């Protein structure tokens, strides 16, 4: 029977060795507490200067028609249903990641910076995560959305954390697109998708 893996307890692992906390640079102890207790961290101004250039690089992929309708499921069992999930995406792994270093250097630096978060959790919390998968996605308006779902495959261990980085310049509440987190106590939290905001959740 397939079951969901329990949430990772970051502080429990951090406290195993007093030197681990001293290595924290990109996270604080309070950040790890939020991941443990709330299940997420939200950080504004993640990139800062140079955001506009990075946004233009992302737009280029969309304007070139490289983003395609997203699919759900895995491999031969995947399917598409835009009533369930309406974004268009491009995976930025393998050859695309190599190409990105010269074609889109700011995006490449962004993904590298995000990957450095994983490496710090490995070093300080025994997270034992071996790689990241990068995806560029766009919800092109007209009510496109993604219904309530689990952001991991049941019984799988491949996706340990999800990291979202938003590039929505001049976003307004009437634009929609908030991400709703459903917590264990049945409460919900809405995250507004404002530009240069980073969201991490498990």
């Amino acid at each position: 029977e397939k079951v969901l893996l329990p949430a990772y307890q970051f502080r429990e692992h951090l406290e195993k060795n007093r030197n681990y906390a001293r290595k924290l640079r990109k996270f604080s102890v309070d950040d790890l507490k939020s991941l443990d207790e709330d299940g997420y961290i939200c950080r504004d101004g993640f990139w800062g200067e140079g955001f506009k250039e990075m946004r233009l690089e992302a737009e280029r992929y969309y304007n070139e028609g490289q983003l395609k309708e997203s699919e759900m499921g895995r491999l031969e069992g995947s399917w598409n249903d835009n009533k369930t999930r309406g974004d268009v995406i491009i995976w930025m792994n393998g050859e695309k990641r190599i190409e990105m270093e010269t074609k889109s250097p700011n995006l490449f630096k962004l993904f590298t910076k995000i990957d450095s978060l994983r490496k710090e959790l490995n070093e300080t919390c025994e997270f034992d995560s071996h790689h990241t998968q990068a995806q560029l996605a766009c919800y092109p308006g007209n009510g496109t959305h993604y219904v309530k779902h689990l952001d991991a495959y049941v019984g799988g261990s491949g996706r340990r954390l999800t990291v979202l980085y938003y590039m929505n310049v001049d976003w307004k509440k009437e634009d929609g697109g908030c991400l709703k987190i459903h917590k264990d106590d049945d409460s919900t939290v809405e995250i507004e998708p404002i530009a240069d905001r980073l969201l991490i959740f498990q």
Side-chain angles (χ1 to χ4, degrees):
E1 180 183 357
K2 292 183 176 181
V3 296
L4 286 175
L5 296 174
Y8 197 79
Q9 296 300 308
F10 289 94
R11 283 188 304 162
E12 175 184 318
H13 291 271
L14 181 72
E15 292 166 359
K16 286 183 178 180
N17 187 320
R18 68 177 63 182
N19 292 319
Y20 284 169
R22 296 173 184 168
K23 294 180 180 180
L24 289 174
R25 297 292 184 271
K26 305 174 191 307
F27 293 95
S28 67
V29 174
D30 285 342
D31 286 334
L32 301 180
K33 179 180 178 181
S34 294
L35 271 178
D36 285 349
E37 297 180 0
D38 301 323
Y40 73 95
I41 302 170
C42 191
R43 184 180 296 173
D44 292 334
F46 178 72
W47 187 255
E49 187 177 351
F51 168 80
K52 291 182 179 179
E53 291 81 1
M54 180 171 54
R55 157 87 187 212
L56 288 172
E57 291 177 358
E59 285 181 353
R60 188 181 309 132
Y61 287 96
Y62 181 82
N63 293 333
E64 291 173 353
Q66 294 200 51
L67 276 67
K68 307 298 182 184
E69 287 187 352
S70 57
E71 294 183 336
M72 293 160 286
R74 304 183 72 178
L75 303 175
E76 67 274 1
S78 62
W79 76 96
N80 172 268
D81 177 8
N82 57 23
K83 292 182 180 178
T84 300
R85 179 178 179 180
D87 57 336
V88 290
I89 68 168
I90 180 173
W91 288 100
M92 307 297 282
N93 305 310
E95 292 182 1
K96 280 292 181 185
R97 180 72 68 96
I98 296 171
E99 171 193 288
M100 183 169 49
E101 187 169 5
T102 53
K103 179 179 179 179
S104 308
N106 292 289
L107 273 178
F108 181 82
K109 291 175 184 176
L110 171 68
F111 289 131
T112 300
K113 184 176 182 179
I114 290 173
D115 193 45
S116 72
L117 303 178
R118 173 188 65 84
K119 293 177 180 177
E120 179 162 297
L121 292 176
N122 284 346
E123 292 173 1
T124 60
C125 300
E126 303 177 340
F127 194 46
D128 196 29
S129 173
H130 301 291
H131 69 281
T132 52
Q133 292 182 316
Q135 180 188 105
L136 188 62
C138 174
Y139 288 86
N142 299 317
T144 51
H145 61 281
Y146 199 163
V147 300
K148 179 182 176 182
H149 64 283
L150 295 170
D151 210 41
Y153 298 109
V154 174
S157 59
R159 185 173 297 167
R160 312 275 302 283
L161 287 177
T162 295
V163 179
L164 300 180
Y165 178 75
Y166 295 109
M167 301 186 189
N168 302 303
V169 178
D170 299 325
W171 179 86
K172 302 180 295 297
K173 205 167 188 68
E174 54 267 30
D175 294 331
C178 291
L179 182 141
K180 183 178 287 187
I181 295 175
H182 296 259
K183 302 178 71 174
D184 290 339
D185 61 3
D186 293 328
S187 64
T188 60
V189 177
E190 283 200 350
I191 307 296
E192 296 179 342
I194 63 174
D196 206 14
R197 169 172 283 177
L198 186 85
L199 172 67
I200 304 174
F201 61 88
Q202 63 169 332

